[in-house]
Amino acid sequence: MTTSHTRPGDGLLSVAMVTLGCARNEVDSEELAGRLEADGFRLVDDPEDADTVVVNTCGFVEAAKKDSVDTLLQAADLKASAGKGGHTQAVVAVGCLAERYGKDLAESLPEADAVLGFDDYPDIAARLRSIVAGETHHAHTPSDRRKLLPISPVDRDASGVSVPGHAAPVFDAPDLAADQAPASGPRAVRRRLDGGPMAPLKLASGCDRRCSFCAIPSFRGSFVSRRPSDVLQEAQWLGSQGVKELFLVSENSTSYGKDLGDLRLLETLLPELAAVDGVERVRVSYLQPAETRPGLIETIAGTPGVVPYFDLSFQHASASVLRRMRRFGDPDSFLSLLEQIRSLAPEAGVRSNVIVGFPGETEDDLQTLCDFLEAARMDVTGVFGYSDEDGTEAESYDGKLDPDEVRERTEHVTALVEELNAQRAEERIGSTVDVLVESLADGPEAAVEGRAAHQGPEVDGTTLVEDVAGGVAVGDIITATVTATDGVDLIATTTHATDGA
Protein backbone atom coordinates (compact mmCIF):
# COMPACT_ATOMS: atom_id res chain seq x y z
CA MET A 1 0.00 0.00 0.00
CA THR A 2 1.40 3.44 -0.89
CA THR A 3 0.47 6.97 0.06
CA SER A 4 1.47 10.32 -1.35
CA HIS A 5 4.35 12.63 -0.36
CA THR A 6 3.82 15.72 1.79
CA ARG A 7 4.31 19.36 0.84
CA PRO A 8 3.96 22.29 3.25
CA GLY A 9 0.44 23.55 3.87
CA ASP A 10 -0.67 26.44 1.71
CA GLY A 11 -4.41 26.69 2.25
CA LEU A 12 -5.29 24.44 -0.65
CA LEU A 13 -7.60 21.46 -0.31
CA SER A 14 -5.44 18.52 0.68
CA VAL A 15 -5.73 14.96 -0.55
CA ALA A 16 -4.08 11.67 0.41
CA MET A 17 -3.88 8.89 -2.19
CA VAL A 18 -3.94 5.39 -0.70
CA THR A 19 -3.11 2.70 -3.27
CA LEU A 20 -3.94 -0.98 -3.02
CA GLY A 21 -3.34 -3.81 -5.46
CA CYS A 22 -0.99 -4.11 -8.40
CA ALA A 23 1.53 -1.87 -10.12
CA ARG A 24 -1.11 -0.87 -12.68
CA ASN A 25 -3.05 0.75 -9.84
CA GLU A 26 0.12 2.57 -8.77
CA VAL A 27 0.34 4.19 -12.20
CA ASP A 28 -3.35 5.14 -12.06
CA SER A 29 -2.81 6.76 -8.66
CA GLU A 30 0.15 8.75 -9.94
CA GLU A 31 -1.87 9.98 -12.90
CA LEU A 32 -4.73 10.97 -10.59
CA ALA A 33 -2.26 12.68 -8.25
CA GLY A 34 -0.78 14.57 -11.19
CA ARG A 35 -4.19 15.86 -12.22
CA LEU A 36 -5.15 16.80 -8.69
CA GLU A 37 -1.91 18.69 -8.05
CA ALA A 38 -2.12 20.44 -11.42
CA ASP A 39 -5.66 21.53 -10.58
CA GLY A 40 -4.80 23.04 -7.22
CA PHE A 41 -4.90 20.24 -4.65
CA ARG A 42 -2.13 19.75 -2.09
CA LEU A 43 -0.88 16.15 -1.79
CA VAL A 44 -0.16 14.85 1.70
CA ASP A 45 1.31 11.60 3.00
CA ASP A 46 -0.87 10.87 5.98
CA PRO A 47 -4.63 10.40 5.51
CA GLU A 48 -5.08 12.00 8.94
CA ASP A 49 -3.76 15.26 7.46
CA ALA A 50 -6.02 15.20 4.41
CA ASP A 51 -9.30 16.95 3.69
CA THR A 52 -10.06 14.08 1.29
CA VAL A 53 -8.80 10.51 1.34
CA VAL A 54 -8.90 8.74 -2.03
CA VAL A 55 -8.56 4.96 -1.81
CA ASN A 56 -7.55 3.32 -5.07
CA THR A 57 -9.10 -0.10 -4.54
CA CYS A 58 -8.32 -3.58 -5.86
CA GLY A 59 -11.09 -5.95 -6.95
CA PHE A 60 -9.04 -8.90 -8.17
CA VAL A 61 -9.71 -11.63 -5.59
CA GLU A 62 -11.78 -11.91 -2.40
CA ALA A 63 -8.90 -11.08 -0.06
CA ALA A 64 -8.09 -7.94 -2.06
CA LYS A 65 -11.72 -6.85 -2.01
CA LYS A 66 -11.84 -7.25 1.78
CA ASP A 67 -8.61 -5.30 2.17
CA SER A 68 -10.05 -2.50 0.04
CA VAL A 69 -13.26 -2.32 2.08
CA ASP A 70 -11.34 -2.41 5.37
CA THR A 71 -9.11 0.44 4.18
CA LEU A 72 -12.14 2.52 3.22
CA LEU A 73 -13.67 1.90 6.65
CA GLN A 74 -10.42 2.90 8.36
CA ALA A 75 -10.35 6.11 6.35
CA ALA A 76 -14.00 6.77 7.17
CA ASP A 77 -13.16 6.55 10.88
CA LEU A 78 -10.98 9.63 10.41
CA LYS A 79 -14.07 11.72 9.66
CA ALA A 80 -15.22 11.21 13.25
CA SER A 81 -12.24 13.23 14.43
CA ALA A 82 -12.95 16.12 12.06
CA GLY A 83 -14.65 18.11 14.81
CA LYS A 84 -11.83 17.40 17.26
CA GLY A 85 -8.96 18.92 15.34
CA GLY A 86 -8.96 16.36 12.57
CA HIS A 87 -9.01 17.26 8.89
CA THR A 88 -10.81 14.52 6.99
CA GLN A 89 -14.04 15.66 5.40
CA ALA A 90 -14.56 13.03 2.71
CA VAL A 91 -13.54 9.49 1.80
CA VAL A 92 -13.72 8.48 -1.86
CA ALA A 93 -13.35 5.05 -3.46
CA VAL A 94 -11.79 4.74 -6.92
CA GLY A 95 -10.10 1.86 -8.72
CA CYS A 96 -11.13 -1.62 -9.75
CA LEU A 97 -13.50 -2.43 -6.87
CA ALA A 98 -15.27 0.89 -7.37
CA GLU A 99 -15.50 0.36 -11.12
CA ARG A 100 -16.57 -3.26 -10.84
CA TYR A 101 -19.37 -2.83 -8.32
CA GLY A 102 -20.29 0.86 -8.65
CA LYS A 103 -23.77 1.41 -7.23
CA ASP A 104 -23.72 -1.82 -5.23
CA LEU A 105 -20.55 -0.75 -3.43
CA ALA A 106 -21.95 2.73 -2.79
CA GLU A 107 -25.14 1.28 -1.31
CA SER A 108 -23.38 -1.32 0.83
CA LEU A 109 -20.68 1.08 2.06
CA PRO A 110 -22.39 4.34 3.09
CA GLU A 111 -19.27 5.22 5.09
CA ALA A 112 -17.66 6.22 1.76
CA ASP A 113 -18.82 9.62 0.58
CA ALA A 114 -18.53 8.65 -3.08
CA VAL A 115 -17.68 5.75 -5.36
CA LEU A 116 -16.08 6.99 -8.59
CA GLY A 117 -15.65 4.99 -11.78
CA PHE A 118 -12.94 5.23 -14.42
CA ASP A 119 -15.00 7.74 -16.41
CA ASP A 120 -14.72 10.16 -13.48
CA TYR A 121 -10.91 10.22 -13.67
CA PRO A 122 -10.51 13.00 -16.28
CA ASP A 123 -12.51 15.36 -14.01
CA ILE A 124 -11.22 14.02 -10.69
CA ALA A 125 -10.44 17.47 -9.20
CA ALA A 126 -13.94 18.80 -9.89
CA ARG A 127 -15.45 15.58 -8.53
CA LEU A 128 -13.54 15.85 -5.26
CA ARG A 129 -14.37 19.53 -4.78
CA SER A 130 -18.07 18.85 -5.22
CA ILE A 131 -17.93 15.91 -2.80
CA VAL A 132 -16.17 17.98 -0.13
CA ALA A 133 -18.80 20.66 -0.68
CA GLY A 134 -21.45 18.10 0.23
CA GLU A 135 -22.84 17.28 -3.19
CA THR A 136 -24.05 13.73 -3.76
CA HIS A 137 -22.32 11.69 -6.44
CA HIS A 138 -24.33 8.91 -8.07
CA ALA A 139 -22.15 5.91 -8.84
CA HIS A 140 -22.56 4.32 -12.24
CA THR A 141 -20.75 2.11 -14.73
CA PRO A 142 -19.46 3.45 -18.08
CA SER A 143 -20.97 1.95 -21.21
CA ASP A 144 -17.75 1.72 -23.24
CA ARG A 145 -14.58 1.27 -21.24
CA ARG A 146 -12.40 1.09 -24.34
CA LYS A 147 -12.58 4.85 -24.83
CA LEU A 148 -11.71 5.45 -21.18
CA LEU A 149 -8.62 3.30 -20.80
CA PRO A 150 -5.80 3.75 -20.40
CA ILE A 151 -6.59 6.89 -18.43
CA SER A 152 -3.96 8.74 -20.45
CA PRO A 153 -3.96 10.47 -22.86
CA VAL A 154 -6.42 13.05 -21.58
CA ASP A 155 -7.51 16.36 -23.06
CA ARG A 156 -5.78 19.34 -21.51
CA ASP A 157 -4.95 22.93 -22.32
CA ALA A 158 -3.37 23.28 -25.76
CA SER A 159 -0.27 24.87 -24.26
CA GLY A 160 0.80 21.47 -22.95
CA VAL A 161 2.20 22.80 -19.69
CA SER A 162 1.40 22.02 -16.08
CA VAL A 163 0.11 24.57 -13.62
CA PRO A 164 2.99 26.84 -12.50
CA GLY A 165 4.48 25.85 -9.17
CA HIS A 166 3.41 22.21 -9.40
CA ALA A 167 5.56 19.19 -10.07
CA ALA A 168 3.24 17.25 -12.34
CA PRO A 169 4.65 16.79 -15.85
CA VAL A 170 2.59 16.98 -19.01
CA PHE A 171 3.50 14.64 -21.82
CA ASP A 172 2.66 15.73 -25.35
CA ALA A 173 1.22 12.94 -27.48
CA PRO A 174 2.22 12.71 -31.16
CA ASP A 175 0.16 14.36 -33.82
CA LEU A 176 -3.04 12.54 -34.69
CA ALA A 177 -4.93 12.46 -37.93
CA ALA A 178 -7.24 15.44 -38.29
CA ASP A 179 -10.32 13.28 -37.78
CA GLN A 180 -8.91 11.78 -34.56
CA ALA A 181 -7.39 14.69 -32.70
CA PRO A 182 -9.49 16.60 -30.15
CA ALA A 183 -9.31 20.37 -30.47
CA SER A 184 -7.01 20.81 -27.47
CA GLY A 185 -4.76 17.84 -28.24
CA PRO A 186 -4.24 14.82 -25.98
CA ARG A 187 -2.17 15.26 -22.84
CA ALA A 188 -1.24 13.01 -19.92
CA VAL A 189 -0.21 14.08 -16.42
CA ARG A 190 1.64 12.03 -13.82
CA ARG A 191 3.09 12.84 -10.40
CA ARG A 192 5.35 10.31 -8.67
CA LEU A 193 4.17 9.20 -5.25
CA ASP A 194 7.09 6.92 -4.45
CA GLY A 195 10.61 8.27 -4.75
CA GLY A 196 12.26 4.85 -5.09
CA PRO A 197 14.52 3.87 -8.00
CA MET A 198 11.85 1.67 -9.63
CA ALA A 199 8.70 2.95 -11.32
CA PRO A 200 5.91 1.09 -13.10
CA LEU A 201 5.19 2.27 -16.64
CA LYS A 202 1.90 1.31 -18.26
CA LEU A 203 2.04 -0.26 -21.72
CA ALA A 204 -1.67 -0.90 -22.15
CA SER A 205 -4.95 -1.42 -20.34
CA GLY A 206 -7.65 -4.01 -20.58
CA CYS A 207 -7.64 -7.52 -21.97
CA ASP A 208 -9.18 -9.24 -24.99
CA ARG A 209 -8.73 -12.74 -23.62
CA ARG A 210 -11.75 -14.33 -21.96
CA CYS A 211 -10.30 -16.69 -19.38
CA SER A 212 -13.24 -18.36 -17.68
CA PHE A 213 -12.02 -17.54 -14.14
CA CYS A 214 -11.14 -13.87 -14.68
CA ALA A 215 -13.39 -10.82 -14.31
CA ILE A 216 -10.81 -8.22 -15.34
CA PRO A 217 -12.18 -7.62 -18.89
CA SER A 218 -15.60 -6.89 -17.40
CA PHE A 219 -14.32 -3.81 -15.58
CA ARG A 220 -11.01 -2.99 -17.27
CA GLY A 221 -12.42 -3.29 -20.78
CA SER A 222 -10.86 -4.41 -24.04
CA PHE A 223 -7.14 -4.29 -24.70
CA VAL A 224 -5.85 -0.83 -25.64
CA SER A 225 -2.15 -0.21 -26.34
CA ARG A 226 -0.58 3.12 -25.52
CA ARG A 227 1.27 4.67 -28.43
CA PRO A 228 5.01 3.96 -28.36
CA SER A 229 5.88 7.66 -28.42
CA ASP A 230 3.70 8.24 -25.33
CA VAL A 231 5.40 5.38 -23.49
CA LEU A 232 8.85 6.60 -24.51
CA GLN A 233 8.18 10.20 -23.46
CA GLU A 234 6.95 9.08 -20.07
CA ALA A 235 10.02 6.84 -19.71
CA GLN A 236 12.27 9.82 -20.45
CA TRP A 237 10.53 11.86 -17.77
CA LEU A 238 10.86 9.01 -15.27
CA GLY A 239 14.55 8.74 -16.10
CA SER A 240 14.93 12.45 -15.39
CA GLN A 241 13.28 11.89 -12.00
CA GLY A 242 15.95 9.43 -10.87
CA VAL A 243 14.20 6.21 -11.86
CA LYS A 244 16.70 3.43 -12.61
CA GLU A 245 14.31 0.59 -13.40
CA LEU A 246 11.20 0.77 -15.58
CA PHE A 247 8.65 -1.94 -14.79
CA LEU A 248 6.40 -2.31 -17.83
CA VAL A 249 2.88 -3.26 -16.76
CA SER A 250 -0.36 -4.23 -18.47
CA GLU A 251 -2.93 -7.02 -18.31
CA ASN A 252 -1.15 -8.83 -21.17
CA SER A 253 2.15 -7.40 -22.39
CA THR A 254 2.50 -9.96 -25.19
CA SER A 255 -0.51 -8.35 -26.90
CA TYR A 256 1.11 -4.92 -26.99
CA GLY A 257 0.81 -3.33 -30.43
CA LYS A 258 -1.78 -5.70 -31.90
CA ASP A 259 -4.44 -2.97 -31.92
CA LEU A 260 -1.89 -0.58 -33.47
CA GLY A 261 -1.25 -2.93 -36.36
CA ASP A 262 2.14 -4.27 -35.27
CA LEU A 263 2.35 -7.25 -32.92
CA ARG A 264 6.16 -6.94 -32.86
CA LEU A 265 6.00 -3.41 -31.48
CA LEU A 266 7.30 -4.44 -28.07
CA GLU A 267 10.44 -5.90 -29.64
CA THR A 268 11.03 -2.50 -31.26
CA LEU A 269 10.18 -0.45 -28.19
CA LEU A 270 12.30 -2.31 -25.61
CA PRO A 271 15.71 -1.24 -26.99
CA GLU A 272 14.50 2.36 -27.15
CA LEU A 273 13.38 2.27 -23.53
CA ALA A 274 16.66 0.69 -22.47
CA ALA A 275 18.53 3.58 -24.13
CA VAL A 276 16.70 6.28 -22.15
CA ASP A 277 19.09 8.50 -20.20
CA GLY A 278 19.27 7.53 -16.55
CA VAL A 279 17.48 4.22 -16.97
CA GLU A 280 19.59 1.16 -16.14
CA ARG A 281 16.99 -1.58 -16.35
CA VAL A 282 13.76 -2.34 -18.19
CA ARG A 283 11.60 -5.20 -16.95
CA VAL A 284 8.48 -6.61 -18.63
CA SER A 285 5.60 -8.05 -16.60
CA TYR A 286 2.79 -10.44 -17.41
CA LEU A 287 3.54 -12.47 -20.51
CA GLN A 288 0.89 -14.82 -21.86
CA PRO A 289 2.70 -18.13 -22.58
CA ALA A 290 0.62 -18.95 -25.67
CA GLU A 291 1.56 -15.56 -27.18
CA THR A 292 5.24 -15.47 -26.17
CA ARG A 293 6.93 -15.59 -29.56
CA PRO A 294 10.60 -16.39 -30.28
CA GLY A 295 11.41 -12.82 -31.35
CA LEU A 296 10.16 -11.42 -28.05
CA ILE A 297 12.16 -13.99 -26.09
CA GLU A 298 15.28 -13.04 -28.03
CA THR A 299 14.72 -9.33 -27.40
CA ILE A 300 14.16 -9.74 -23.66
CA ALA A 301 17.04 -12.19 -23.28
CA GLY A 302 19.54 -10.36 -25.46
CA THR A 303 18.97 -6.60 -25.30
CA PRO A 304 21.45 -4.73 -23.08
CA GLY A 305 19.53 -2.94 -20.35
CA VAL A 306 16.49 -5.23 -20.64
CA VAL A 307 16.66 -7.74 -17.81
CA PRO A 308 16.18 -11.41 -18.74
CA TYR A 309 13.04 -11.78 -16.65
CA PHE A 310 9.98 -13.75 -17.73
CA ASP A 311 6.72 -13.31 -15.85
CA LEU A 312 4.76 -16.16 -17.47
CA SER A 313 1.12 -16.68 -16.58
CA PHE A 314 0.86 -20.48 -16.79
CA GLN A 315 -2.14 -20.83 -14.39
CA HIS A 316 -2.03 -24.64 -14.65
CA ALA A 317 -0.29 -27.38 -16.64
CA SER A 318 -3.05 -29.92 -17.31
CA ALA A 319 -4.29 -29.46 -20.89
CA SER A 320 -7.86 -30.35 -19.89
CA VAL A 321 -7.93 -27.86 -17.02
CA LEU A 322 -6.42 -25.17 -19.24
CA ARG A 323 -9.13 -25.75 -21.85
CA ARG A 324 -11.81 -25.26 -19.20
CA MET A 325 -10.00 -22.10 -18.21
CA ARG A 326 -10.19 -21.07 -21.89
CA ARG A 327 -6.43 -21.02 -22.10
CA PHE A 328 -3.91 -23.01 -24.11
CA GLY A 329 -0.92 -25.17 -23.33
CA ASP A 330 0.35 -28.36 -21.73
CA PRO A 331 3.50 -29.44 -19.89
CA ASP A 332 5.47 -30.12 -23.08
CA SER A 333 4.76 -26.74 -24.66
CA PHE A 334 5.45 -24.88 -21.42
CA LEU A 335 8.73 -26.72 -20.80
CA SER A 336 9.75 -26.09 -24.40
CA LEU A 337 9.15 -22.38 -23.84
CA LEU A 338 11.34 -22.43 -20.74
CA GLU A 339 14.02 -24.31 -22.66
CA GLN A 340 14.01 -21.60 -25.34
CA ILE A 341 14.42 -18.93 -22.67
CA ARG A 342 17.24 -20.67 -20.81
CA SER A 343 19.11 -21.55 -23.98
CA LEU A 344 19.48 -17.79 -24.55
CA ALA A 345 19.73 -16.65 -20.91
CA PRO A 346 20.62 -19.49 -18.53
CA GLU A 347 20.32 -17.24 -15.47
CA ALA A 348 16.98 -15.74 -16.51
CA GLY A 349 14.42 -15.10 -13.80
CA VAL A 350 11.14 -16.94 -14.29
CA ARG A 351 8.01 -16.47 -12.22
CA SER A 352 4.42 -17.61 -12.62
CA ASN A 353 1.06 -18.07 -10.90
CA VAL A 354 -1.10 -21.17 -10.76
CA ILE A 355 -4.71 -21.79 -9.74
CA VAL A 356 -5.40 -24.97 -7.75
CA GLY A 357 -8.79 -26.62 -7.33
CA PHE A 358 -10.38 -25.31 -10.53
CA PRO A 359 -13.81 -26.89 -11.22
CA GLY A 360 -13.32 -30.38 -12.58
CA GLU A 361 -9.68 -30.65 -11.54
CA THR A 362 -8.91 -34.33 -10.92
CA GLU A 363 -6.15 -35.92 -8.86
CA ASP A 364 -4.38 -36.68 -12.14
CA ASP A 365 -4.65 -33.03 -13.18
CA LEU A 366 -3.16 -31.98 -9.86
CA GLN A 367 -0.30 -34.44 -10.28
CA THR A 368 0.33 -33.11 -13.79
CA LEU A 369 0.66 -29.63 -12.32
CA CYS A 370 3.03 -30.80 -9.60
CA ASP A 371 5.19 -32.74 -12.06
CA PHE A 372 5.40 -29.66 -14.28
CA LEU A 373 6.41 -27.41 -11.39
CA GLU A 374 9.20 -29.80 -10.44
CA ALA A 375 10.49 -29.85 -14.00
CA ALA A 376 10.10 -26.09 -14.56
CA ARG A 377 12.45 -24.98 -11.75
CA MET A 378 11.01 -21.47 -11.55
CA ASP A 379 12.29 -18.76 -9.23
CA VAL A 380 8.91 -17.83 -7.78
CA THR A 381 5.44 -19.37 -8.14
CA GLY A 382 2.31 -17.82 -6.69
CA VAL A 383 -0.38 -20.34 -5.72
CA PHE A 384 -4.05 -19.42 -5.55
CA GLY A 385 -6.92 -21.64 -4.50
CA TYR A 386 -9.88 -21.37 -6.87
CA SER A 387 -12.92 -19.38 -5.78
CA ASP A 388 -15.85 -18.12 -7.81
CA GLU A 389 -15.58 -14.59 -9.17
CA ASP A 390 -18.78 -12.65 -9.83
CA GLY A 391 -19.86 -12.68 -13.45
CA THR A 392 -17.26 -15.13 -14.74
CA GLU A 393 -17.99 -18.16 -16.89
CA ALA A 394 -16.40 -20.53 -14.35
CA GLU A 395 -18.89 -19.36 -11.73
CA SER A 396 -21.53 -21.41 -13.57
CA TYR A 397 -19.36 -24.53 -14.04
CA ASP A 398 -20.28 -27.83 -12.46
CA GLY A 399 -17.64 -30.07 -10.91
CA LYS A 400 -16.87 -27.59 -8.13
CA LEU A 401 -14.55 -29.01 -5.49
CA ASP A 402 -15.39 -28.85 -1.81
CA PRO A 403 -13.73 -25.77 -0.24
CA ASP A 404 -11.84 -27.99 2.18
CA GLU A 405 -10.46 -29.99 -0.75
CA VAL A 406 -9.42 -26.79 -2.52
CA ARG A 407 -7.64 -25.62 0.61
CA GLU A 408 -5.83 -28.95 1.06
CA ARG A 409 -4.68 -28.98 -2.55
CA THR A 410 -3.57 -25.37 -2.32
CA GLU A 411 -1.56 -26.07 0.82
CA HIS A 412 0.04 -29.10 -0.86
CA VAL A 413 1.10 -27.13 -3.96
CA THR A 414 2.22 -24.16 -1.86
CA ALA A 415 4.51 -26.39 0.21
CA LEU A 416 5.92 -27.89 -2.99
CA VAL A 417 6.69 -24.57 -4.65
CA GLU A 418 8.22 -23.13 -1.49
CA GLU A 419 10.69 -26.02 -1.52
CA LEU A 420 11.29 -25.77 -5.27
CA ASN A 421 11.73 -22.00 -5.21
CA ALA A 422 14.15 -22.26 -2.31
CA GLN A 423 16.14 -24.88 -4.23
CA ARG A 424 16.26 -22.61 -7.25
CA ALA A 425 17.60 -19.78 -5.10
CA GLU A 426 20.27 -22.12 -3.70
CA GLU A 427 21.37 -22.90 -7.25
CA ARG A 428 22.38 -19.23 -7.52
CA ILE A 429 24.95 -19.52 -4.69
CA GLY A 430 28.34 -18.63 -6.13
CA SER A 431 26.86 -16.67 -9.03
CA THR A 432 27.41 -12.97 -9.67
CA VAL A 433 24.38 -10.68 -9.52
CA ASP A 434 23.85 -6.99 -10.21
CA VAL A 435 21.71 -5.59 -7.41
CA LEU A 436 19.71 -2.37 -7.68
CA VAL A 437 19.97 -0.78 -4.22
CA GLU A 438 16.51 0.10 -2.91
CA SER A 439 17.12 0.66 0.79
CA LEU A 440 19.69 0.67 3.54
CA ALA A 441 18.92 -2.56 5.34
CA ASP A 442 18.40 -3.05 9.06
CA GLY A 443 20.62 -5.66 10.63
CA PRO A 444 24.23 -6.26 9.62
CA GLU A 445 26.42 -3.20 9.55
CA ALA A 446 27.21 -1.76 6.12
CA ALA A 447 24.50 -3.77 4.37
CA VAL A 448 21.99 -2.71 1.74
CA GLU A 449 18.90 -4.35 0.34
CA GLY A 450 17.78 -4.44 -3.27
CA ARG A 451 16.88 -6.71 -6.16
CA ALA A 452 18.95 -8.73 -8.58
CA ALA A 453 17.98 -8.82 -12.24
CA HIS A 454 15.90 -12.00 -11.80
CA GLN A 455 13.84 -10.47 -8.97
CA GLY A 456 10.79 -8.44 -9.86
CA PRO A 457 9.43 -5.78 -7.48
CA GLU A 458 7.34 -6.67 -4.43
CA VAL A 459 6.76 -10.38 -5.07
CA ASP A 460 10.02 -12.07 -6.10
CA GLY A 461 12.24 -11.75 -3.06
CA THR A 462 15.17 -9.45 -2.40
CA THR A 463 18.96 -9.55 -2.14
CA LEU A 464 20.78 -8.46 1.02
CA VAL A 465 24.30 -7.32 0.20
CA GLU A 466 26.68 -7.35 3.16
CA ASP A 467 30.08 -5.69 3.67
CA VAL A 468 29.23 -2.80 1.38
CA ALA A 469 31.83 -0.09 0.97
CA GLY A 470 30.89 3.41 2.09
CA GLY A 471 29.18 5.90 -0.19
CA VAL A 472 26.63 3.54 -1.72
CA ALA A 473 23.24 5.19 -2.26
CA VAL A 474 19.75 4.12 -3.21
CA GLY A 475 19.64 3.74 -6.99
CA ASP A 476 23.21 2.48 -7.30
CA ILE A 477 23.87 -0.91 -8.84
CA ILE A 478 26.13 -3.21 -6.87
CA THR A 479 27.84 -6.25 -8.34
CA ALA A 480 27.88 -8.99 -5.71
CA THR A 481 28.46 -12.70 -5.25
CA VAL A 482 25.65 -14.83 -3.79
CA THR A 483 26.83 -16.58 -0.62
CA ALA A 484 23.62 -17.86 1.00
CA THR A 485 19.83 -17.87 0.72
CA ASP A 486 16.77 -17.47 2.90
CA GLY A 487 13.86 -18.96 0.98
CA VAL A 488 13.73 -16.99 -2.28
CA ASP A 489 15.82 -14.17 -0.81
CA LEU A 490 19.53 -14.03 -1.54
CA ILE A 491 22.43 -12.99 0.68
CA ALA A 492 25.51 -11.69 -1.11
CA THR A 493 28.82 -9.94 -0.59
CA THR A 494 30.10 -7.01 -2.57
CA THR A 495 32.30 -7.40 -5.60
CA HIS A 496 32.19 -3.71 -6.46
CA ALA A 497 29.64 -0.91 -6.73
CA THR A 498 28.84 1.44 -9.59
CA ASP A 499 26.91 4.67 -9.66
CA GLY A 500 23.56 3.85 -11.28
CA ALA A 501 23.39 7.38 -12.66
Side-chain angles (χ1 to χ4, degrees), residues 335 367-378 412 416-417 419-420 423:
L335 291 173
Q367 189 60 50
T368 296
L369 173 61
C370 292
D371 290 344
F372 164 72
L373 292 171
E374 290 188 16
R377 311 295 294 177
M378 291 184 285
H412 172 71
L416 174 64
V417 300
E419 179 182 352
L420 293 171
Q423 290 174 3

Side-chain angles (χ1 to χ4, degrees), residues 435 446-450 463-468 478 480 490-494:
V435 180
V448 300
E449 192 168 18
T463 299
L464 181 71
V465 184
E466 300 175 332
D467 301 322
V468 179
I478 295 177
L490 304 183
I491 300 170
T493 57
T494 306

Side-chain angles (χ1 to χ4, degrees), residues 116-127:
L116 304 182
F118 294 147
D119 55 344
D120 292 304
Y121 285 12
D123 300 314
I124 186 67
R127 295 284 189 273

Side-chain angles (χ1 to χ4, degrees), residues 425 428-435 452 463-467 478-485 490-496:
R428 295 187 183 274
I429 292 177
S431 66
T432 299
V433 292
D434 292 328
V435 180
T463 299
L464 181 71
V465 184
E466 300 175 332
D467 301 322
I478 295 177
T479 300
T481 300
V482 180
T483 58
T485 65
L490 304 183
I491 300 170
T493 57
T494 306
T495 304
H496 66 275

Side-chain angles (χ1 to χ4, degrees), residues 406-483:
V406 174
R407 184 179 65 255
E408 289 177 7
R409 293 187 181 192
T410 303
E411 290 173 352
H412 172 71
V413 176
T414 299
L416 174 64
V417 300
E418 286 178 351
E419 179 182 352
L420 293 171
N421 294 163
Q423 290 174 3
R424 177 61 180 148
E426 289 173 357
E427 293 171 1
R428 295 187 183 274
I429 292 177
S431 66
T432 299
V433 292
D434 292 328
V435 180
L436 175 66
V437 177
E438 295 187 308
S439 66
L440 303 179
D442 295 329
E445 186 177 354
V448 300
E449 192 168 18
R451 289 178 296 108
H454 71 279
Q455 295 172 318
E458 303 293 339
V459 292
D460 288 354
T462 61
T463 299
L464 181 71
V465 184
E466 300 175 332
D467 301 322
V468 179
V472 173
V474 169
D476 288 349
I477 293 179
I478 295 177
T479 300
T481 300
V482 180
T483 58

Side-chain angles (χ1 to χ4, degrees), residues 19-93:
T19 306
L20 303 168
C22 66
R24 295 182 292 274
N25 259 15
E26 292 179 26
V27 179
D28 287 355
S29 286
E30 292 192 350
E31 292 190 5
L32 291 173
R35 291 185 183 144
L36 289 167
E37 189 171 56
D39 284 320
F41 276 78
R42 179 169 57 88
L43 299 173
V44 300
D45 273 330
D46 194 337
E48 293 186 4
D49 297 329
D51 299 310
T52 304
V53 179
V54 177
V55 179
N56 191 350
T57 60
C58 177
F60 181 50
V61 293
E62 201 61 38
K65 297 175 195 174
K66 182 180 184 303
D67 193 22
S68 294
V69 171
D70 289 346
T71 302
L72 285 164
L73 291 173
Q74 291 168 11
D77 287 343
L78 297 176
K79 290 192 295 180
S81 64
K84 306 173 185 178
H87 296 273
T88 307
Q89 302 174 50
V91 173
V92 177

Side-chain angles (χ1 to χ4, degrees), residues 131-148:
I131 293 163
V132 171
E135 297 181 20
T136 300
H137 177 83
H138 299 285
H140 65 285
T141 301
S143 59
D144 186 359
R145 295 171 184 83
R146 288 172 298 179
K147 67 183 180 183
L148 303 172

Side-chain angles (χ1 to χ4, degrees), residues 67 94 107 120 128 172 188 220 253 271 308 322-323 356 370 373:
D67 193 22
V94 300
E107 291 171 0
D120 292 304
L128 294 195
D172 288 310
R220 277 290 186 182
S253 297
L322 287 165
R323 282 195 297 270
V356 178
C370 292
L373 292 171

